[in-house]
Amino acid sequence: MNKHAYAILEAAEAWNWPAPSCMDTLGANTDKASEFKIVCRRLLLCLIAESHRLGGTLLERFWGEIEKSHPQFMENVQELKHTPYYSYDDTVQTFYENVDTDIVDFNPVFELAADLFTHIGLPFMNYDDDRFWRLFSPLSTLSPNTPRQKSFENRGENLKILALKRDGTSCPFSEVPYYGLGGVDPTLTYIIPCSIKSKAETLDYISVIAGNEAMESVLQYSNTIDNVFTVEASVTASHRRNCWGLEARENPNDIDQVTYYFKTFETGNMHRAGSVLLRDGDEITFGQGPEGAQYRNGPHPILCNLRLAVSRALHTSGAAEFISQLMHDAGDFDCRRITIKDHHFHEVLSAKLLICGRAQIA
């Protein structure tokens, strides 16, 4: 059934996808709005594929939204569910059989795609670091001495110490030692951005994409050693951009034994995780510290595989690059003393609204 969905979403390129309302009302440049439509459709397609791998129900959710779009679609979708996939043309013909295209309203599908962009794409690109504190906090809370900022920093330092005790005092990716002569500084890396546990809509969509166990794992482990590891800074930066992920495979005979693999989303033999050169499928070893066994010998496998799925969807769909550009545009607001031209102001404000979760469609 997923192949039928992919065919329908390929055909959906011709649908009249609306732009997000903030871009429409602000008059932001039409190229950015057009790109948003393309990215939303591709992200929906890619997340359906990842959800299928994880045993989630996004595919069923997609068909449910399709069935709301025209009375005849309920019958046609049921027909597709009982028909093997043969070709793109056969699927599209069955899908539109006896459908008056003049009265089709695909708005439920458009809303699903925009919601996934807003509640999955943006939160998995936004991290709880200083850059986003400055970007979204009121001026009165920008001081590094605010209680919330101090709490975040203290929690991070505590988790870094635990990660070093679990994984040892060298980078698991490069094996370069931390500190000392020729060493690097360890950088704490979150697998799932810890702010996600407080985002109800994001948690709901995680449940749809990957199942209730994944959602409950995010709630339970987000602020714990199970959700972090330490690496050199360049590796963290590439992870935040969703350039690669970690695949965790549990031993079927021993669920406590987990093997981790570096997974890239590019073709070719060698790939970079920051400054580290790796092959797709290279094993990454955690748990080499003095307290490795006490802390599972590595991060939680469910969190690793959830992040891998979302990162792959964001990268493959082009959403990661698109959101990074939005962040860059929105960051222009930090230059408060520089005069911003009207047309650029529209782009910056549009980016701000999108990043803050205002990606509603017109």
Side-chain angles (χ1 to χ4, degrees):
M1 194 59 183
N2 57 315
K3 289 185 178 180
H4 289 305
Y6 304 156
I8 298 307
L9 280 169
E10 288 297 324
E13 186 174 0
W15 298 352
N16 185 27
W17 289 76
S21 58
C22 64
M23 285 186 175
D24 181 60
T25 56
L26 292 173
N29 83 46
T30 55
D31 289 342
K32 187 69 73 177
S34 297
E35 188 178 353
F36 175 83
K37 302 175 192 179
I38 295 171
V39 164
C40 273
R41 179 181 65 84
R42 290 178 178 171
L43 181 60
L44 174 56
L45 189 154
C46 291
L47 284 173
I48 287 175
E50 296 299 334
S51 178
H52 182 70
R53 292 189 185 99
L54 293 173
T57 58
L58 184 57
L59 178 62
E60 289 76 8
R61 176 70 174 270
F62 168 74
W63 287 123
E65 302 304 328
I66 286 286
E67 291 176 356
K68 297 175 185 177
S69 303
H70 189 282
Q72 182 63 34
F73 279 149
M74 182 173 293
E75 180 180 331
N76 293 358
V77 167
Q78 291 304 313
E79 180 69 22
L80 286 173
K81 287 181 179 180
H82 295 91
T83 303
Y85 178 83
Y86 294 111
S87 70
Y88 167 86
D89 291 337
D90 287 340
T91 294
V92 173
Q93 182 177 344
T94 301
F95 178 69
Y96 281 112
E97 189 172 357
N98 299 321
V99 172
D100 182 355
T101 55
D102 290 335
I103 61 171
V104 172
D105 178 10
F106 285 118
N107 199 57
V109 180
F110 299 150
E111 290 181 348
L112 174 62
D115 277 353
L116 288 169
F117 179 90
T118 300
H119 301 304
I120 293 295
L122 296 180
F124 275 87
M125 292 290 292
N126 284 348
Y127 274 77
D128 306 306
D129 61 15
D130 291 344
R131 184 160 75 109
F132 296 107
W133 280 84
R134 290 196 304 271
L135 196 57
F136 301 121
S137 299
L139 287 174
S140 60
T141 66
L142 293 182
S143 168
N145 296 317
T146 59
R148 185 183 174 192
Q149 179 75 350
K150 280 188 173 182
S151 174
F152 179 79
E153 291 173 351
N154 291 339
R155 182 181 66 211
E157 286 302 312
N158 291 335
L159 287 176
K160 182 188 288 188
I161 292 170
L162 290 178
L164 291 170
K165 290 180 178 180
R166 181 191 68 191
D167 300 328
T169 55
S170 61
C171 175
F173 286 73
S174 65
E175 299 183 356
V176 173
Y178 295 134
Y179 311 116
L181 184 64
V184 295
D185 290 336
T187 301
L188 189 68
T189 303
Y190 286 87
I191 298 166
I192 305 296
C194 56
S195 62
I196 283 179
K197 69 175 295 183
S198 63
K199 300 180 185 296
E201 295 91 344
T202 298
L203 291 170
D204 287 343
Y205 275 108
I206 287 174
S207 180
V208 171
I209 292 167
N212 285 332
E213 186 178 4
M215 182 268 289
E216 291 169 358
S217 295
V218 171
L219 282 172
Q220 183 175 355
Y221 300 114
S222 286
N223 296 325
T224 72
I225 182 64
D226 291 294
N227 189 40
V228 300
F229 53 86
T230 61
V231 288
E232 55 182 274
S234 66
V235 179
T236 295
S238 63
H239 184 260
R240 290 185 174 188
R241 295 195 303 272
N242 293 283
C243 298
W244 54 271
L246 283 174
E247 180 182 2
R249 299 179 193 170
E250 294 177 287
N251 186 331
N253 300 318
D254 183 0
I255 59 174
D256 291 328
Q257 184 178 345
V258 181
T259 307
Y260 302 88
Y261 299 93
F262 170 80
K263 301 297 293 183
T264 184
F265 313 130
E266 302 285 353
T267 58
N269 293 325
M270 301 298 290
H271 306 274
R272 287 197 175 277
S275 62
V276 182
L277 199 60
L278 295 166
R279 290 183 177 87
D280 183 60
D282 277 354
E283 183 175 343
I284 305 298
T285 304
F286 297 102
Q288 299 301 296
E291 299 181 13
Q294 181 178 341
Y295 296 112
R296 198 194 296 269
N297 286 317
H300 199 292
I302 289 179
L303 301 183
C304 290
N305 292 333
L306 171 62
R307 178 59 189 270
L308 171 65
V310 173
S311 293
R312 184 160 46 209
L314 289 171
H315 181 89
T316 306
S317 66
E321 183 178 354
F322 181 75
I323 294 170
S324 292
Q325 185 58 51
L326 287 177
M327 291 178 178
H328 180 269
D329 292 345
D332 287 349
F333 260 166
D334 288 340
C335 304
R336 300 178 189 278
R337 296 184 181 181
I338 299 176
T339 302
I340 301 177
K341 295 181 180 180
D342 288 344
H343 71 278
H344 187 53
F345 172 81
H346 288 158
E347 294 180 16
V348 171
L349 187 52
S350 294
K352 281 274 191 177
L353 291 170
L354 275 170
I355 290 175
C356 290
R358 303 295 191 269
Q360 296 91 349
I361 58 175

